[in-house]
């Protein structure tokens, strides 16, 4: 029996603690991304097991662009709610909202709004994708709009997978403000605490590590307090299993007057499995802004691309920046 859209999950509530934040008291973007993914995984797994049949767990395939609308601070309470907005034959679209609450004043504000896509994997064989129980839409337009979003993200995922084939190489004695000067990498051995009960990494764990590396790149470049402003679509190209070694690499691709775009690549190395080679597991673009001690926006040192590849990535980043700027201006204009 089909279930009605939109399926909703009550808000998860958690107080933000010092280990969730940077030295300035702003909650790490990666911490919020991890909470968003957990909420999405719960509601999508619950839905995919709502009918009799083979049991499954929902695995994160993609996160659409996520803007950090307002900073969250230590001591505030995060309210995370999720709802299913579309299902295809093999995937689930989940909308997640994050509200912050100042429990001293009662003030609440929307900090994040994210769209995630999940696929159901069989518990008997995690390489087998199962069918998703359908939902019933209250309006036909909801299904048509969802199908358009599904086709668009599917196409972009395939393009991104083949575009991100290169790796970040260290350069000796780099000059300040160059790509090589701020690029950073983190190597992490995937342990049981990083994984689901079925032995592959939670999408939220990967996103948190990606945000940490992007933050290091941004801080090295501008040497100030930095915060996550937005995350472009995060694509999960392949699963990461327990015991694998992952390398998360970040490099600056573009700077505007007050923002920095950082490309983050995740490569997985099955060190104890000779039958499989190192592979690209995930990729994304993060945007950061520089803040003063008073929390005001600061100018960003301009990136100096040196190689032809760096100049090409800079122009591509500029294109993404201008496209998003035009979109925001269009949304801000009053409708006739």
């Amino acid at each position: 029996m089909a279930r009605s859209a939109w399926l909703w999950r009550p808000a998860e509530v958690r107080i933000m603690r010092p280990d969730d934040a940077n030295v300035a008291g702003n909650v790490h973007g990666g911490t919020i991304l991890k909470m968003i993914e957990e909420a999405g995984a719960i509601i999508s797994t619950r839905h995919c097991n709502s009918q009799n049949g083979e049991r499954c767990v929902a695995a994160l395939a993609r996160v659409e662009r996520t803007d950090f609308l307002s900073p969250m601070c230590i001591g505030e309470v995060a309210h995370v709610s999720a709802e299913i907005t579309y299902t295809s034959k093999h995937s689930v679209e989940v909308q997640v909202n994050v509200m912050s609450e100042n429990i001293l004043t009662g003030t609440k504000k929307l900090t994040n709004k994210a769209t995630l896509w999940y696929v159901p994997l069989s518990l008997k064989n995690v390489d087998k994708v199962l069918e998703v129980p359908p939902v019933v839409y209250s309006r036909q337009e909801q299904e048509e709009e969802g199908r358009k979003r599904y086709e668009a993200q599917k196409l972009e995922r395939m393009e991104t997978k083949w575009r991100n084939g290169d790796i970040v190489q260290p350069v000796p004695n780099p000059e300040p403000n160059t790509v090589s000067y701020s690029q950073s990498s983190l190597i992490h051995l995937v342990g049981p605490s990083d994984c689901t009960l079925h032995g592959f990494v939670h999408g939220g764990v990967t996103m948190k590590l990606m945000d940490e590396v992007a933050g290091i790149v941004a801080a090295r470049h501008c040497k100030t307090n930095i915060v996550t402003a937005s995350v472009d679509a995060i694509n999960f190209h392949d699963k990461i299993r327990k015991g694998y070694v992952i390398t998360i690499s970040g490099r600056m691709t573009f700077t505007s007057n007050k923002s920095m775009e950082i490309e983050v690549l995740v490569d997985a190395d099955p060190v104890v499995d000779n039958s499989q080679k190192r592979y690209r597991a995930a990729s994304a673009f993060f945007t950061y802004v520089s803040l003063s001690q008073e929390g005001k926006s600061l100018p960003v040192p301009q990136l100096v691309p040196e190689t032809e590849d760096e100049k090409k990535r800079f122009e591509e980043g500029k294109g993404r920046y201008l496209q998003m700027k035009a979109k925001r201006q269009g949304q801000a204009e009053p409708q006739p």
Side-chain angles (χ1 to χ4, degrees):
M1 178 180 178
R3 304 183 71 184
S4 296
W6 297 4
L7 299 175
W8 178 75
R9 176 180 178 267
E12 171 192 351
V13 180
R14 186 162 84 83
I15 192 166
M16 297 293 99
R17 303 186 182 279
D19 57 351
D20 295 319
N22 61 19
V23 293
N26 302 121
V27 174
H28 291 295
T31 299
I32 298 173
L33 289 171
K34 190 170 184 289
M35 291 191 297
I36 288 173
E37 196 280 327
E38 288 173 350
I42 290 171
I43 192 173
S44 52
T45 298
R46 183 179 290 156
H47 173 71
C48 292
N49 288 282
S50 61
Q51 296 183 356
N52 293 330
E54 193 171 345
R55 301 293 94 181
C56 64
V57 61
L60 183 62
R62 175 179 166 89
V63 181
E64 301 290 0
R65 179 184 172 89
T66 303
D67 289 305
F68 289 72
L69 307 174
S70 180
M72 193 179 300
C73 301
I74 295 171
E76 292 185 330
V77 173
H79 299 258
V80 186
S81 59
E83 62 183 0
I84 291 176
T85 49
Y86 178 75
T87 59
S88 69
K89 185 177 181 180
H90 295 292
S91 64
V92 181
E93 181 191 52
V94 180
Q95 179 77 51
V96 180
N97 290 337
V98 183
M99 301 284 295
S100 68
E101 177 191 5
N102 184 320
I103 55 177
L104 300 180
T105 64
T107 304
K108 291 184 179 181
K109 56 188 176 182
L110 180 67
T111 62
N112 295 83
K113 194 172 184 179
T115 301
L116 305 90
W117 292 88
Y118 290 83
V119 293
L121 305 180
S122 168
L123 295 185
K124 297 178 180 178
N125 177 8
V126 293
D127 293 320
K128 179 182 178 183
V129 179
L130 302 180
E131 292 190 10
V132 175
V135 295
V136 177
Y137 302 91
S138 59
R139 294 183 296 107
Q140 185 178 356
E141 291 81 3
Q142 290 178 351
E143 184 174 11
E144 293 173 352
E145 292 167 359
R147 185 180 296 111
K148 290 178 181 178
R149 294 192 300 271
Y150 167 75
E151 294 296 339
Q153 65 85 26
K154 185 178 179 181
L155 178 62
E156 187 174 337
R157 279 186 64 205
M158 293 303 299
E159 292 176 347
T160 305
K161 183 172 183 178
W162 298 113
R163 188 169 66 239
N164 288 329
D166 56 342
I167 60 175
V168 178
Q169 297 284 6
V171 175
N173 303 317
E175 293 293 326
N177 299 336
T178 61
V179 175
S180 301
Y181 184 82
S182 60
Q183 70 181 27
S184 305
S185 295
L186 182 153
I187 300 175
H188 180 75
L189 174 63
V190 176
S193 62
D194 299 320
C195 298
T196 66
L197 295 175
H198 314 98
F200 55 89
V201 176
H202 288 287
V205 170
T206 305
M207 290 194 292
K208 191 172 187 296
L209 292 171
M210 294 172 79
D211 181 72
E212 287 179 7
V213 170
I216 292 170
V217 173
R220 280 179 168 171
H221 181 76
C222 62
K223 294 180 172 57
T224 61
N225 177 35
I226 47 87
V227 294
T228 314
S230 66
V231 184
D232 211 344
I234 303 177
N235 292 287
F236 292 83
H237 307 302
D238 209 339
K239 297 184 292 295
I240 305 171
R241 297 182 185 274
K242 180 172 62 179
Y244 283 18
V245 172
I246 54 175
T247 302
I248 305 98
S249 303
R251 61 186 171 199
M252 191 82 62
T253 51
F254 171 75
T255 54
S256 67
N257 289 334
K258 292 189 177 181
S259 68
M260 301 162 276
E261 182 191 72
I262 296 128
E263 182 180 28
V264 182
L265 309 173
V266 181
D267 294 312
D269 189 358
V271 289
V272 295
D273 183 1
N274 293 329
S275 65
Q276 190 172 5
K277 296 181 180 179
R278 180 185 175 112
Y279 61 91
R280 176 64 39 81
S283 56
F285 290 98
F286 287 70
T287 299
Y288 275 75
V289 292
S290 173
L291 299 179
S292 67
Q293 293 182 347
E294 293 76 31
K296 295 183 178 180
S297 179
L298 291 175
V300 171
Q302 291 304 289
L303 181 67
V304 181
E306 297 176 298
T307 69
E308 290 303 314
D309 284 342
E310 290 172 359
K311 293 175 182 177
K312 180 181 178 182
R313 286 194 291 268
F314 186 92
E315 290 302 317
E316 291 173 346
K318 183 178 181 180
R320 286 186 291 271
Y321 167 77
L322 293 175
Q323 183 180 29
M324 186 52 57
K325 184 177 180 180
K327 184 177 179 180
R328 286 198 301 268
Q329 290 175 341
Q331 292 173 341
E333 291 177 358
Q335 297 300 315

